[in-house]
Amino acid sequence: MSHLHWRVRALVGAYAVSVYGNFLNLIALSLFTYEVTGSGLGLGLLMALRLFAGVLAGLGAGALAARVGRRAMMIGADLGQAVAMVVLALSATGSAPVWLLAVVVVVLGAGNTFFTVALRSAVPVMVGHEARVRTNGQLTTSRSVATVAGFASAAPIIELAGHSAAFAVNAATFLVSAVALSLLRPRMEEDRKGPQTAPEAGAASLRQVLRAVPALLLGMVLLRGVDALASSSHNVALPVVADVESPGDPALFMTQFWASWAVGTFLAHQLLKRRHASWSEGRWGAYAFAVGTCVMSASFVLAFTGPAPLLLMAVAGVAGLADGFTEIVYTSRLQAAPDRERSRLFGLSATAETSGFALGMVAAAAALEMWPALAVVGLFHGMALCAALAFLLLSLAARRRMIEQPYEKPSHSEGANTHGPCTRTGPVPRA
């Protein structure tokens, strides 16, 4: 067990290094793309292409994981992105063609989705279902800290060494992740006993997943997509507010905001790691996810009302606490699905999240041309708040109808399973 614990911690560290490079690259690549294209439209189109590649990758991630294995898919994603960044680093010294940027953003968008889907779906295999909540908390916390570090270090690296250095650092972070996966060789596939036909050996098809997954779980995936759409608004609006609130140093304003948010996600991990894994399963996990989404959306709206600096940091911390809480609970709930369905389910989730974020980025940017930041953030997060409340009310109403129905002895195929996903479909959502 201690050996496994060391392997998981090392893998979490490598993941944090990779995430750091991703967010360093997000700033560097955006600035470099704007220099190459010379217009905001060109930047927007290439960023949209990156998100679109992630949407398509989510649809095929489950099938690819079943064919090549999760660890191989993660290593391939890391190596593909590392090669893309090395090529871009060499080209950044001159005038990189737009077509090369297009290829790079497609590789980055698809690679990030493939890696994330494989990692999330493999956690229960690596650590067991009982320890998955704690591991998800470690991954969420490391990602939050790496996000802040990537954002904070982007400007100094670009100013001192240029875009090529930033791209080279990003390539190195991908290589660190790939080497860690190759050396640690974590177990990411469940052992399948007995002979299997070709269809049985692979992951369930998307149609099979939609039929087998409880309606309550699909509702959580849809709500996650709406939450991603809402989150795009504060990501777009925050630089605008930072330039107004701190015209002398907007980068410092954004760093303080995201650092406070990261502290909140760390506290969420500290809170949830003391809970039993079953707390994130079933209906209580779904209810907690909906309530956390409400708190997160309300906190982000409050952050744009112009509070004093200390109060802003406190509100951002609460937003991070709710953000980390919903991330851990949501991921842990999806991981309760059977291994055969899990990769497809996380691929579907990645598609919903990326689609929502892409649509939100375009819509929020357009809305900011007409309305103030508070109105835009309030509108988008208001939609997420309403969706979470509707999900919560509908789930409670369905639960009440189940309780009020006359007792009927369940058939053998509908046996009780209070701590696992129910594969029976019907008009009543099941956990």
Side-chain angles (χ1 to χ4, degrees):
M1 182 61 68
S2 60
H3 186 57
L4 175 64
H5 183 65
W6 174 84
R7 285 173 181 263
V8 172
R9 282 188 173 273
L11 187 61
V12 170
Y15 170 73
V17 172
S18 178
V19 172
Y20 163 77
N22 278 335
F23 284 93
L24 166 65
N25 169 264
L26 185 63
I27 302 297
L29 186 58
S30 296
L31 295 173
F32 183 70
T33 301
Y34 186 77
E35 288 184 7
V36 172
T37 61
S39 68
L41 176 61
L43 172 61
L45 289 175
L46 285 172
M47 293 301 102
L49 180 61
R50 179 174 182 168
L51 292 172
F52 183 68
V55 171
L56 293 181
L59 295 175
L64 183 61
R67 182 175 296 274
V68 304
R70 294 182 178 119
R71 188 169 65 90
M73 187 167 80
M74 293 171 68
I75 294 175
D78 278 333
L79 293 179
Q81 293 178 93
V83 170
M85 295 316 301
V86 168
V87 172
L88 189 59
L90 296 176
S91 302
T93 56
S95 56
V98 176
W99 67 263
L100 177 60
L101 286 176
V103 172
V104 168
V105 298
V106 167
V107 172
L108 292 177
N112 180 68
T113 298
F114 286 142
F115 184 96
T116 303
V117 169
L119 176 62
R120 288 180 172 180
S121 59
V123 165
V125 184
M126 289 192 296
V127 302
H129 282 273
E130 293 297 318
R132 72 183 193 278
V133 174
R134 187 183 187 94
T135 303
N136 290 330
Q138 292 174 345
L139 290 170
T140 299
T141 301
S142 64
R143 188 191 65 186
S144 301
V145 174
T147 298
V148 176
F151 281 150
S153 63
I157 291 177
I158 295 172
E159 183 177 352
L160 294 175
H163 294 100
S164 295
F167 297 149
V169 170
N170 188 207
T173 62
F174 286 128
L175 291 176
V176 168
S177 177
V179 170
L181 286 166
S182 300
L183 296 179
L184 296 172
R185 301 186 64 83
R187 177 173 173 263
M188 293 187 166
E189 311 292 337
E190 287 190 352
D191 296 330
R192 301 189 184 277
K193 299 179 181 180
Q196 296 174 328
T197 62
E200 291 173 338
S205 68
L206 183 58
R207 180 177 298 180
Q208 289 174 321
V209 170
L210 292 176
R211 287 178 177 177
V213 172
L216 187 68
L217 196 54
L218 289 179
M220 291 178 68
V221 173
L222 291 176
L223 179 56
R224 189 68 174 177
V226 176
D227 172 52
L229 184 146
S231 296
S232 65
S233 65
H234 64 254
N235 279 277
V236 173
L238 187 60
V240 177
V241 173
D243 189 59
V244 173
E245 296 292 332
S246 181
D249 196 354
L252 177 61
F253 180 92
M254 293 184 63
T255 300
Q256 290 175 340
F257 182 93
W258 288 120
S260 302
W261 170 83
V263 170
T265 61
F266 172 77
L267 294 177
H269 169 50
Q270 298 302 310
L271 173 66
L272 284 175
K273 75 178 183 180
R274 305 177 189 280
R275 308 292 299 190
H276 193 268
S278 62
W279 187 85
S280 296
E281 297 181 9
R283 291 184 174 274
W284 287 115
Y287 299 157
F289 171 65
V291 173
T293 301
C294 292
V295 174
M296 178 176 57
S297 291
S299 299
F300 275 120
V301 173
L302 288 175
F304 284 82
T305 58
L310 290 179
L311 183 57
L312 174 64
M313 295 174 66
V315 172
V318 174
L321 175 65
D323 203 352
F325 178 85
T326 54
E327 169 75 15
I328 297 169
V329 169
Y330 174 77
T331 304
S332 301
R333 182 62 187 87
L334 264 61
Q335 287 168 349
D339 185 68
R340 184 171 177 268
E341 301 169 2
R342 199 180 302 134
S343 294
R344 284 282 192 184
L345 186 57
F346 273 103
L348 178 64
S349 175
T351 297
E353 293 179 60
T354 308
S355 299
F357 193 78
L359 177 62
M361 290 287 284
V362 175
L368 281 172
E369 296 294 325
M370 301 179 291
W371 302 322
L374 176 60
V376 174
V377 175
L379 174 63
F380 279 69
H381 276 288
M383 290 190 291
L385 185 62
C386 291
L389 290 174
F391 170 79
L392 185 60
L393 293 175
L394 290 173
S395 300
L396 291 172
R399 180 65 174 173
R400 190 177 300 112
R401 286 196 299 270
M402 288 179 59
I403 295 175
E404 292 174 353
Q405 287 177 353
Y407 173 78
E408 296 181 4
K409 186 176 180 180
S411 64
H412 178 71
S413 62
E414 297 176 356
N417 182 14
T418 58
H419 293 295
C422 176
T423 58
R424 182 179 69 85
T425 57
V428 180
R430 299 298 296 252

